[in-house]
Amino acid sequence: MLLKTKKAIKWIDALLDPKWKKGVGQLQTSEGKYCCLGVGCKVTRTPFTKGIDTYSNEFGKKVGLFNASGEFDKTIYGHNSLASLNDGRYKNSSNFLMIRKHILANLKHIFEPEIAKELKTHYGK
């Protein structure tokens, strides 16, 4: 299994942990809440600036995303990225369960092909 895949699994699984309080607009808000990509940065130890950064190129590369904002190669529910789902469709959600569900249902549209294939096998999708 590729290192990128292992890091992606660590991130995707962390989205189930209730310790991560959901926020919008930044990887980590000044109140200590996170967007889904911010959770990924924390669990993969990817540096970012709290209260300022909205995405991390380094995180996207670490887990094999197509790009830093988790942009999809198709539109899902009128959104084209994980950042957009986090801050739009699921803005008022208190957790990351639905975002995680969308990640797992759309692996091939979010991750590089080889990473998506390994994730699909890992999660039995």
Side-chain angles (χ1 to χ4, degrees):
M1 185 180 297
L2 296 172
L3 182 58
K4 286 182 180 183
T5 306
K6 290 179 182 180
K7 290 181 183 214
I9 290 167
K10 186 174 185 177
W11 165 48
I12 292 167
D13 290 349
L15 294 174
L16 291 173
D17 191 332
K19 80 175 182 180
W20 301 108
K21 302 304 177 205
K22 190 172 171 311
V24 298
Q26 299 161 341
L27 294 175
Q28 182 182 7
T29 67
S30 56
E31 296 85 28
K33 295 180 178 182
Y34 296 85
C35 80
C36 59
L37 298 169
V39 171
C41 287
K42 290 300 279 189
V43 300
T44 62
R45 297 187 172 140
T46 304
F48 65 90
T49 305
K50 176 182 174 180
I52 295 175
D53 290 343
T54 57
Y55 66 89
S56 165
N57 285 322
E58 186 179 342
F59 171 69
K61 291 175 186 172
K62 275 187 178 183
V63 299
L65 295 176
F66 283 130
N67 70 26
S69 67
E71 191 170 314
F72 312 141
D73 68 357
K74 73 171 196 169
T75 301
I76 301 171
Y77 295 118
H79 297 274
N80 66 349
S81 70
L82 291 173
S84 179
L85 275 175
N86 187 88
D87 295 356
R89 183 171 179 89
Y90 299 112
K91 179 179 183 174
N92 296 319
S93 179
S94 62
N95 59 51
F96 301 100
L97 297 178
M98 291 305 297
I99 291 174
R100 184 179 187 274
K101 179 180 174 180
H102 287 293
I103 291 170
L104 293 177
N106 294 284
L107 295 169
K108 71 178 184 176
H109 301 292
I110 299 170
F111 292 93
E112 298 166 359
E114 192 170 0
I115 307 306
K117 183 178 177 182
E118 288 189 333
L119 290 172
K120 186 175 180 179
T121 299
H122 176 80
Y123 288 106
K125 298 291 178 187

